[in-house]
Amino acid sequence: MGEFADDAYEAAMQEMYLFSKALDEEMEHTSNQEVVNRMITYFKENSVDVQNKLELLCKEILITAKRTKRLTPKQKSCLLKLLLQREDYSDDYYYY
């Protein structure tokens, strides 16, 4: 059982690393406006899950961004995390 736990831990760490790497790449290559547009499209297609704290936070970020007309790197990162988790891009970072 110890070997299985070690392998599972290693796989989880690899997946976390690949997700972080995918997030960093998206942060560099995606404009703020594109992130906001993708997020709005996502919420039009899928209603906000009130049980999911990340989705609620992203909704509030969009409301704030609309009011202030800007997006901080931390807000952009949060929006991209949700998009990476929910969109078809998830295959890019999963450990096989």
Side-chain angles (χ1 to χ4, degrees):
M1 186 69 181
E3 262 186 59
F4 178 73
D6 289 343
D7 291 345
Y9 177 77
E10 184 179 326
M13 295 306 290
Q14 177 73 16
E15 183 177 333
M16 207 165 58
Y17 168 75
L18 292 173
F19 182 82
S20 177
K21 187 176 172 184
L23 180 62
D24 290 344
E25 288 177 12
E26 287 285 326
M27 285 288 291
E28 278 184 37
H29 302 298
T30 310
S31 70
N32 289 352
Q33 187 61 50
E34 187 179 343
V35 171
V36 169
N37 291 344
R38 285 170 52 192
M39 201 73 236
I40 290 170
T41 302
Y42 172 78
F43 281 137
K44 281 182 181 177
E45 294 171 357
N46 310 296
S47 61
V48 177
D49 180 8
V50 293
Q51 301 296 328
N52 187 331
K53 291 179 182 178
L54 183 58
E55 286 194 15
L56 290 173
L57 178 60
C58 288
K59 179 184 172 190
E60 291 300 317
I61 288 171
L62 287 177
I63 292 168
T64 302
K66 179 183 175 186
R67 190 181 69 242
T68 61
K69 304 290 188 223
R70 65 187 182 101
L71 195 62
T72 66
K74 200 170 192 178
Q75 291 171 328
K76 181 179 177 180
S77 174
C78 185
L79 294 175
L80 283 171
K81 281 179 190 174
L82 181 65
L83 288 171
L84 285 173
Q85 288 175 0
R86 300 292 188 246
E87 289 183 344
D88 293 335
Y89 301 106
S90 58
D91 290 342
D92 295 342
Y93 66 86
Y94 277 123
Y95 176 75
Y96 292 105

